[in-house]
Amino acid sequence: MVSITDLVAEGKAKRLYATENPEEGVIYYRDETFAFHGLKRGRIIGKGEINNLICEYIFTLLSQKGIPNHFIRRIDNRCSLVKRVEIIPVVVKIRNIVAGSLAKRTGYPEGTRLHNTVLEYCLKDAELEDPLLNLTHITAMALATPDEIKLMEEMSLRVNEILIGCLSEIQIELIDFKLEFGRFHGQLLLADEVSPDTCRFWDAKTHEPLDIDRFRRDLGNVEEAYREVLHRLTGNVLRNAEDDAGEV
Ligand code: TMP
């Protein structure tokens, strides 16, 4: 039994609650979604439940493969118990194929396969729209230590390998994703979430996005795409919330 106490933080797609154990928190996955740094807002019915299950699957897989992370266990449909880390204010983005801000910034066509994996650091600051950083910024501003940066880099590249392996078996191409890390008793843990809200997943055959880009670009069938990712990963079929509406 987990006793929730206070709301600690409310983000775009999640809430973090404190529990009676100061070392543990509860993440509540919301249906709300934001794009273009808050300029476009919406609600994807059922997204919270789906992302909670996808994160449970991915964090469990990553633990099994030796990536320490904050996930402890799923509590219910929308909530998971996690270790309360001190988040490092540096976001790591990993890119295998050109898309999103890299395409915009460089003019390289979306869908171009990169000759090597690209690793980018950004300042975690929503108001500043997470600006790009280089390694000298990170150490100069004491955002993370050189040892932490080395570990973040190693862990991010390993997560990329693990996810590519797992997703290729279910005909999903991993275009790019972002990761956040936190400190917990001197250990660096992968934190936040890994879901279609934070990754670009394309269907390997059709190259259709199966992620938040469907919302960003008004492509429709957003919740269906999230459900498809969950289904391919786990075999778990979550029914459409509208299907449930008529039932007692
Ligand atoms: P970008 O191409 O917009 O820089 O995004 C790269 C990856 O980071 C992509 O998989 C989506 C993810 N991302 C987030 O999770 N949250 C954000 O706020 C942004 C801008 C990107």
Side-chain angles (χ1 to χ4, degrees), residues 203-247:
D203 180 274
K205 284 197 190 115
T206 64
H207 304 298
E208 278 276 312
L210 298 171
D211 56 61
I212 190 73
D213 270 351
R214 298 202 73 82
F215 169 75
R216 290 192 188 104
R217 298 178 175 189
D218 293 322
L219 297 175
N221 298 332
V222 189
E223 59 270 40
E224 286 79 359
Y226 278 61
R227 240 182 273 126
E228 177 65 20
V229 172
L230 174 67
H231 177 53
R232 289 196 205 177
L233 277 173
T234 67
N236 194 335
V237 183
L238 260 193
R239 281 179 307 163
N240 188 321
E242 284 170 13
D243 294 345
D244 291 340
E247 295 178 12

Side-chain angles (χ1 to χ4, degrees), residues 12 37 93-95 99-102 105 120 130 176-178 197-200 212 216:
K12 291 184 265 189
H37 300 282
K93 289 182 181 175
I94 295 285
R95 301 180 186 273
S101 67
L102 180 62
R105 206 164 58 234
E120 292 172 356
D130 295 352
D176 57 29
F177 58 96
K178 72 121 191 187
D197 272 4
T198 62
C199 304
R200 286 195 173 92
I212 190 73
R216 290 192 188 104

